[in-house]
Amino acid sequence: IGQNVTLFMMDRLSEFSTVEMTAIVSDVSSTPTRDGFSYKLQVKEPEGELWIRSSVSEHLDEKDMKALLGQQVSFWMDISTAEQYREMRKGNIVALQAEQEIFSIDDYNEIVGQVKRPASIICLFIQVVLLLLLIYLARKFELRRFVRNLLGKA
């Protein structure tokens, strides 16, 4: 159930479910991933690393990202990531703005929604199969009678 909630909420972020912070960008780099590449921003004041999902990174202009060097940026993280960021000084961001908007929460939601759609379908299929299996096994082994006998003897 927890996985379903996480998957369901992944592309439904808003200003109410995120935290805005600011920092100065000290380095911009891209890291290869199995899905392409991902941008990583080193920031100071406060020190830390900001990661941008590979699915979002692919939609960003490299010139705009490199131009962030030395600029003060505003970035948004979901609330749980922001809490971890305060301790770990690393985290995924869901929106980024400098003098101009690099990507918004709405952009993030749209991109992540497209990426998660196949996973949502697969999860739903697996859950339906498991539910049907549970019903089948309950009927096959007459679990209702077993539970009654167990409680009656206790």
Side-chain angles (χ1 to χ4, degrees), residues 111-131:
I111 293 166
V112 170
Q114 292 170 1
V115 170
K116 81 160 192 163
R117 193 165 294 122
S120 298
I121 293 168
I122 291 169
C123 284
L124 180 63
F125 176 75
I126 290 171
Q127 289 172 357
V128 168
V129 168
L130 290 175
L131 178 62

Side-chain angles (χ1 to χ4, degrees), residues 76-95:
W76 287 259
M77 295 179 159
D78 66 69
I79 292 171
S80 61
T81 302
E83 290 171 0
Q84 293 172 354
Y85 179 77
R86 289 183 177 101
E87 294 177 21
M88 305 292 291
R89 294 291 172 207
K90 297 178 182 181
N92 288 315
I93 60 174
V94 299

Side-chain angles (χ1 to χ4, degrees), residues 6-28:
T6 302
L7 193 60
F8 179 76
M9 296 303 293
M10 189 181 291
D11 65 338
R12 288 175 170 72
L13 297 173
S14 69
E15 64 268 4
F16 302 111
S17 60
T18 57
V19 176
E20 179 182 4
M21 295 184 245
T22 60
I24 297 174
V25 178
S26 59
D27 187 40
V28 177

Side-chain angles (χ1 to χ4, degrees):
I1 293 176
Q3 182 69 19
N4 286 347
V5 172
T6 302
L7 193 60
F8 179 76
M9 296 303 293
M10 189 181 291
D11 65 338
R12 288 175 170 72
L13 297 173
S14 69
E15 64 268 4
F16 302 111
S17 60
T18 57
V19 176
E20 179 182 4
M21 295 184 245
T22 60
I24 297 174
V25 178
S26 59
D27 187 40
V28 177
S29 61
S30 61
T31 307
T33 66
R34 67 182 153 94
D35 300 328
F37 70 96
S38 178
Y39 281 112
K40 180 174 76 171
L41 306 176
Q42 292 285 351
V43 294
K44 56 185 178 182
E45 299 175 26
E47 284 295 313
E49 286 181 12
L50 307 177
W51 300 327
I52 302 173
R53 294 175 65 105
S54 60
S55 54
V56 176
S57 293
E58 293 171 2
H59 292 86
L60 302 178
D61 183 71
E62 186 176 4
K63 281 185 190 176
D64 290 344
M65 294 303 294
K66 295 294 183 188
L68 294 174
L69 196 58
Q71 288 191 41
Q72 181 168 356
V73 296
S74 295
F75 59 94
W76 287 259
M77 295 179 159
D78 66 69
I79 292 171
S80 61
T81 302
E83 290 171 0
Q84 293 172 354
Y85 179 77
R86 289 183 177 101
E87 294 177 21
M88 305 292 291
R89 294 291 172 207
K90 297 178 182 181
N92 288 315
I93 60 174
V94 299
L96 180 63
Q97 182 174 342
E99 291 176 2
Q100 76 281 1
E101 183 177 84
I102 306 299
F103 68 99
S104 68
I105 294 173
D106 290 337
D107 296 336
Y108 178 88
N109 286 338
E110 183 178 333
I111 293 166
V112 170
Q114 292 170 1
V115 170
K116 81 160 192 163
R117 193 165 294 122
S120 298
I121 293 168
I122 291 169
C123 284
L124 180 63
F125 176 75
I126 290 171
Q127 289 172 357
V128 168
V129 168
L130 290 175
L131 178 62
L132 293 173
L133 181 63
L134 178 66
I135 292 169
Y136 169 76
L137 291 174
R139 287 182 172 223
K140 181 176 180 177
F141 293 109
E142 299 179 24
L143 288 180
R144 188 173 12 166
R145 186 172 45 168
F146 174 75
V147 170
R148 264 193 260 141
N149 288 340
L150 183 65
L151 293 176
K153 292 181 181 179

